[in-house]
Amino acid sequence: MKQRAGLRAKGDAWRLRATLAVVAVVVAAFAAGHQAEDARAVGEGIFQLDKTAYATPEGTAVLVTIQRTDGGVLTNDVKVILQVDGVTEFDIPTAEATKLVTFSKGTNLASQSTFIQTLNKEQFKDRTIQVTILSIDQGGLIGPRSTAPITLLGSGTPRVFDVSPDSGGSYAGEGTILTVTGENFIVAGATVNSSVESVQFWQPFAPAAEQTVTMVSNNIEVLSPTVLRVRVPALLADFGAPPYNQSTSTYDVRIEVTPVPAQIPPTYLSPITPGDKYVYTTGPTVTSLSVRQGPPTGGTQVTVNGTNFPPAGAPGTPCAFAPLTSVTFGGANVTSCKYGAPNQLIITTPAHISGPVFAVVTDAGVRSPEVPDAAYNYQGLPVITGMNPNFGPQTGGSPTTIAGSNFFVGGQPPTSVLFGGNPAQFTLINDNQIIATVPPGSGVQQVKIIHPVSGTSEYRTEANYTYSTGPLINQISPANGPSVGGTIVTIAGSGFLAGAVVKFGDVQAFSVVDSSTKITATAPPGVSTVQVSVNVNGTLNVPGPQAAYSYDGPTVTGISPIAGPPAGGTTIAIKGTNFTTASVVHIGQAIAPSVFVDPTTLTAVTPPVPTGAAAHVRVTTGSGQSPEGPEDVFTYTSGPIVDAVNPDNGPTTGASIVVITGKNFTAPLSLTFGGIAATSFNINSATQITVLSPPNSTPGAVDVRVAKGADVSPAGPKTKFTYVSAVPKIVAITPNSGSTFGGTEITLTGTGFTGAVCPGAVKFGAFNAPSCTVINDTTISTVAPPNVAGPIVVVIQTANGTSDIVPNYTYISPSGPGGGTAPPAPSAGGVNTYTLTSRWTLLTWTGMPATAVSEAIRGTGVSGASDLTTRISAIYLWDPATSSYKAYFTGSEGIPGANDFTTFTQGAVYWVAILGTGQVPWLVKSP
């Protein structure tokens, strides 16, 4: 089994001034583009698999979901790496051995899914691979469900889903023919075929089949790849004989197939399934029931069919039961029975408690097996478990949803729904739900459901409906708000009058009666969950869940500082929401003295602890306790502590001078940026370190940590350093020449390539590379597009800028030299629009030939054009004859020697530099 790659300078004052202006703009834009907001600690959480086991047919993709708990809003992408252990290029493609699942920045996702593709090798046996959470970055924790098997269901594996009948004797004794349904009884695959070899009967836990029925015996009839019939052989374990044990008399019916061409092993058996069970008995069997459910009161007429029933009388005559002959449902004797035909009884079910039972026929002390064919379900009286709403006006007419069970029994719906004694119009939704239109009434009335089969629902307090003469609250929105109050709440209902008094719990709220059905109120300060009440002339609304308002509990979004000595005494600022003057602060299990500053700020003093440890800072108010998260962790330590990193961002190329402030900085120390060692740093004092950031090929936020021996500074919101991709720079092109027909595979080497997206990011002169692959921040593979012969400029453009514009690639014509570029088709309507972007834009001139550059910049004579003399600073043209650039500088018209050209040449390629940021539309005349 096989195991699964310069611009040329001119000595002119105008030219020098313009060039310096362009450089200044570029530098300013670059600096502005790299200003980053303060990084914040990620609310990573705990990550685990959604299942303990998976299964999928081979050749299909299995959905694996990563569940996330105990996290907050993510301020960085969190990457979860899955490892799939299987034979590559047999179980899975090589690319599937590692999977990346990303929880995106700015979200609070509870789960993310990925598909793992498997390979179809037309196997006749199931096999297993393993998926494991290998790692989680940004400090996420791996939960207990970290690994699980994936069963690959062989595409040729025979399987049995059902056998019919579920019980019976042999073909020789009773003529029993078993119908077996499943799959893959016949396989016609791309490379292999299979056919049924035998049907085998296995006792539980037996090492081999007790009986094997072969195809050559002519006792098997294969009707299709999913259905076959087999004559049941005589079996040893008989439920119809002592010791009358159904478990040992239950056989697994398994299908054996032979693949062609031959394999090792030469045959394969279907795996044991719940549906392949057959109970062997020479006694009576129940093979079907005409009705499979009914009320506990009994009285349902059921036709029972089977085999080996007691000797039959004439159809319609009462059953004559001998002392050891009976019919029972769940052990309750049937007293009403008559013969229908041989092996057919027509009975009336006896009373029985609710639940599933088996119909059992006993003859001379031998019972029929309890099998699915004989299953019957007693359903009880209708039960009402709730109504929403459970109140309304005396005039009625409003809908209410009635929840419960046993609304649909014996295939019939209820005949009526009563509110007190008044019938209501209703619609049966399902066995558990009815929607009724409330009839007129008064007071508190019991709702009853009357069913023609099972009877009338019994009294329950959940079935009480209250008719109100006063105000009613149907809904409040929103139903929650901060503990400081101030939330504008809309109260919807009926019976509202001017002067109505609104209270949240016991506290009166400012409110305005907008209409008889709407009140607008301002929630007062409060805690916990309270009832909103409306008092109209001394009459209160009916309370209930629809009138509940919850004050939000506290949350902790950050603490500062994040660490301090085990001796305690560190004053920390706690930021969050819904703090009150009665807030209690716990650090770990200890209560910390605290001071209320405002609803979003508390201060507290850390208590001492016997040993260094990390502890959650939690705030408790009357509305509950703040949930724990990574943003509220305080670390007790005597080791180094990082309080701030300045600057907190720099290029992936490294070498940024970074000042780290904190505590306990004494030699010897080591520093890391996201696990990468910083090798050049100086300890300025016990509270300050200056360091050169090490290079990191992956952009993003990392933790700056200082270690002294085993003591490592804790990570927090202010310990982050964000690597940003640098402006692209190409240092090598391999190869650096190719055919004018294009298609040359090229590797670009340099820095700052992260974020390049093709087509568009890589240009060969005026033409986009058709595709590119960013290997990492320093390598891109791409394919050269067609172009005319001669040197051109290959540039890389990302959000951080454009690589240097210098000739670095040569097109070679198989038939001779050439030059220039082919222009794109001009726009319709006589106007062509170029979109100029910050710093440089590479374009092919498709405007009118010999257009004056100054007129084109001013937009002279072009409808809708703007004067861009303050935006376009310079335009450059590559001259292959001299291997140099010719330049035009805006505003230098009339100055001798300032410009190398003054008109545009159609089809020529130009680089246009603009001042400022953003995009600028440039409208020019086109032929």
Side-chain angles (χ1 to χ4, degrees):
M1 194 174 294
K2 188 178 180 180
Q3 184 72 21
R4 329 276 188 249
L7 290 174
R8 177 169 58 92
K10 294 177 68 80
D12 184 271
W14 271 98
R15 188 175 304 269
L16 178 60
R17 183 176 67 181
T19 301
L20 290 175
V22 171
V23 171
V25 169
V26 171
V27 171
F30 176 83
H34 288 74
Q35 291 177 351
E37 297 179 355
D38 287 343
R40 179 181 174 272
V42 173
E44 298 89 353
I46 299 173
F47 299 78
Q48 62 181 352
L49 301 175
D50 63 321
K51 297 179 181 179
T52 57
Y54 303 87
T56 191
E58 64 170 343
T60 65
V62 59
L63 180 68
V64 174
T65 299
I66 309 300
Q67 295 177 333
R68 172 177 174 260
T69 58
D70 300 334
V73 175
L74 300 171
T75 54
N76 289 291
D77 288 345
V78 176
K79 297 180 176 63
V80 180
I81 297 178
L82 299 178
Q83 176 176 292
V84 183
D85 293 319
V87 181
T88 54
E89 299 309 322
F90 182 78
D91 294 330
I92 56 173
T94 303
E96 296 295 294
T98 303
K99 303 290 289 187
L100 173 65
V101 180
T102 301
F103 287 73
S104 299
K105 172 183 177 180
T107 67
N108 192 12
L109 295 173
S111 65
Q112 280 285 72
S113 300
T114 187
F115 283 98
I116 298 174
Q117 182 64 49
T118 67
L119 295 176
N120 185 358
K121 295 301 180 179
E122 296 187 335
Q123 295 297 290
F124 290 85
K125 186 177 181 180
D126 299 345
R127 57 199 195 275
T128 301
I129 61 177
Q130 195 81 8
V131 60
T132 302
I133 298 179
L134 187 63
S135 67
I136 303 169
D137 69 354
Q138 304 295 339
L141 301 177
I142 299 177
R145 214 161 42 240
S146 63
T147 187
I150 302 174
T151 299
L152 305 186
L153 305 175
S155 60
T157 304
R159 301 179 206 282
V160 175
F161 299 149
D162 182 61
V163 297
S164 180
D166 295 326
S167 59
S170 66
Y171 177 77
E174 302 175 10
T176 306
I177 297 177
L178 204 60
T179 299
V180 183
T181 58
E183 67 179 5
N184 296 330
F185 298 164
I186 303 172
V187 171
T191 59
V192 293
N193 300 323
S194 73
S195 58
V196 174
E197 177 75 15
S198 68
V199 178
Q200 301 182 6
F201 291 77
W202 291 60
Q203 275 195 296
F205 309 109
E210 180 185 303
Q211 286 287 350
T212 298
V213 180
T214 63
M215 282 293 294
V216 297
S217 68
N218 295 321
N219 289 316
I220 302 174
E221 181 184 17
V222 181
L223 302 178
S224 72
T226 60
V227 180
L228 64 76
R229 289 162 27 107
V230 60
R231 292 171 176 172
V232 179
L235 300 172
L236 296 177
D238 182 2
F239 182 55
Y244 308 112
N245 188 316
Q246 181 169 329
S247 296
T248 58
S249 302
T250 300
Y251 287 82
D252 291 294
V253 181
R254 304 177 70 182
I255 310 301
E256 181 187 32
V257 299
T258 302
V260 178
Q263 297 187 10
I264 299 176
T267 63
Y268 292 87
L269 270 174
S270 61
I272 293 174
T273 65
D276 69 9
K277 305 296 186 278
Y278 178 77
V279 180
Y280 184 75
T281 180
T282 54
T285 69
V286 174
T287 57
S288 69
L289 302 177
S290 62
V291 178
R292 291 192 167 276
Q293 65 178 21
T297 53
T300 302
Q301 182 173 290
V302 180
T303 299
V304 182
N305 298 298
T307 62
N308 297 329
F309 282 2
T317 61
C319 301
F321 290 137
L324 296 177
T325 301
S326 66
V327 180
T328 59
F329 273 61
N333 286 315
V334 168
T335 58
S336 175
C337 174
K338 62 183 178 181
Y339 293 104
N343 291 316
Q344 184 183 81
L345 303 175
I346 300 173
I347 63 95
T348 300
T349 58
H352 194 282
I353 62 173
S354 298
V357 299
F358 291 101
V360 174
V361 175
T362 303
D363 182 30
V366 179
R367 305 171 70 247
S368 62
E370 296 180 352
V371 293
D373 286 342
Y376 182 87
N377 187 33
Y378 278 100
Q379 290 183 285
L381 296 172
V383 177
I384 297 176
T385 58
M387 292 185 294
N388 184 29
N390 61 356
F391 62 90
Q394 292 183 336
T395 56
S398 57
T400 185
T401 299
I402 304 173
S405 59
N406 301 330
F407 296 166
F408 187 74
V409 178
Q412 298 186 53
T415 54
S416 59
V417 175
L418 301 179
F419 283 66
N422 298 323
Q425 293 182 338
F426 69 93
T427 300
L428 176 69
I429 304 302
N430 53 42
D431 188 56
N432 306 107
Q433 189 178 87
I434 289 174
I435 297 178
T437 301
V438 180
S442 61
V444 178
Q445 299 294 337
Q446 176 76 184
V447 177
K448 295 182 179 180
I449 297 175
I450 301 176
H451 196 280
V453 175
S454 58
T456 302
S457 60
E458 297 179 339
Y459 175 86
R460 293 172 61 95
T461 55
E462 293 91 340
N464 282 335
Y465 186 88
T466 301
Y467 288 95
S468 176
T469 58
L472 294 172
I473 295 178
N474 295 330
Q475 184 184 36
I476 59 175
S477 180
N480 66 288
S483 58
V484 294
T487 301
I488 305 301
V489 178
T490 299
I491 305 172
S494 61
F496 301 155
L497 298 176
V501 176
V502 176
K503 289 186 177 181
F504 283 62
D506 296 327
V507 181
Q508 184 170 334
F510 173 78
S511 62
V512 175
V513 178
D514 302 308
S515 67
S516 63
T517 60
K518 178 184 175 185
I519 293 176
T520 302
T522 302
V527 295
S528 191
T529 299
V530 298
Q531 281 284 313
V532 176
S533 63
V534 176
N535 188 326
V536 176
N537 298 325
T539 303
L540 289 170
N541 64 284
V542 179
Q546 78 288 342
Y549 182 86
S550 297
Y551 286 97
D552 296 337
T555 62
V556 175
T557 59
I559 59 172
S560 181
I562 61 172
T570 302
T571 299
I572 61 173
I574 307 169
K575 303 297 290 186
T577 60
N578 300 317
F579 298 158
T580 68
T581 55
S583 297
V584 176
V585 175
H586 284 80
I587 300 179
Q589 301 302 316
I591 295 178
S594 61
V595 175
F596 174 82
V597 178
D598 58 47
T600 64
T601 309
L602 298 171
T603 62
V605 178
T606 61
V609 296
T611 57
H616 287 283
V617 177
R618 294 164 294 145
V619 177
T620 303
T621 69
S623 294
Q625 188 177 79
S626 61
E628 294 181 354
E631 61 279 347
D632 64 21
V633 174
F634 181 86
T635 301
Y636 286 96
T637 178
S638 299
I641 299 172
V642 174
D643 291 330
V645 176
N646 185 35
D648 62 1
N649 65 87
T652 54
T653 51
S656 294
I657 300 175
V658 180
V659 176
I660 303 172
T661 55
K663 305 175 185 68
N664 304 328
F665 296 160
T666 57
L669 295 175
S670 62
L671 276 74
T672 58
F673 282 61
I676 301 174
T679 58
S680 179
F681 63 89
N682 182 66
I683 303 173
N684 304 328
S685 66
T687 61
Q688 188 182 83
I689 297 173
T690 302
V691 58
L692 289 180
S693 64
N696 188 335
S697 61
T698 304
V702 299
D703 286 305
V704 176
R705 310 190 79 166
V706 179
K708 183 178 179 64
D711 291 326
V712 182
S713 62
K718 295 183 179 180
T719 67
K720 305 291 182 185
F721 182 86
T722 300
Y723 281 98
V724 294
S725 293
V727 173
K729 181 178 180 62
I730 299 174
V731 297
I733 301 178
T734 307
N736 63 358
S737 64
S739 169
T740 54
F741 295 120
T744 304
E745 295 183 356
I746 293 171
T747 299
L748 306 178
T749 306
T751 58
F753 294 168
T754 300
V757 179
C758 287
V762 179
K763 290 180 178 291
F764 284 69
F767 299 102
N768 289 324
S771 65
C772 72
T773 300
V774 180
I775 308 301
N776 51 43
D777 195 62
T778 61
T779 308
I780 288 180
S781 63
T782 187
V783 176
N787 209 332
V788 295
I792 55 92
V793 175
V794 177
V795 294
I796 297 177
Q797 296 176 325
T798 70
N800 299 305
T802 304
S803 60
D804 294 335
I805 301 175
V806 293
N808 49 17
Y809 186 84
T810 301
Y811 277 98
I812 300 172
S813 173
S815 59
T821 57
S827 301
V831 175
N832 190 21
T833 301
Y834 297 106
T835 299
L836 307 181
T837 56
S838 180
R839 196 183 183 204
W840 301 103
T841 300
L842 191 64
L843 58 85
T844 300
W845 181 256
T846 59
M848 298 292 292
T851 298
V853 178
S854 59
E855 297 299 317
I857 293 174
R858 294 187 182 96
T860 304
V862 181
S863 177
S866 300
D867 186 348
L868 300 182
T869 54
T870 60
R871 294 302 303 273
I872 297 177
S873 60
I875 301 174
Y876 299 93
L877 169 67
W878 174 253
D879 182 4
T882 60
S883 296
S884 63
Y885 278 97
K886 296 183 179 298
Y888 177 94
F889 296 96
T890 306
S892 64
E893 299 88 350
I895 300 177
N899 296 318
D900 294 320
F901 61 92
T902 57
T903 60
F904 286 114
T905 300
Q906 195 171 44
V909 179
Y910 297 88
W911 286 262
V912 181
I914 68 170
L915 301 172
T917 60
Q919 296 183 335
V920 179
W922 185 18
L923 279 63
V924 302
K925 285 184 179 180
S926 64

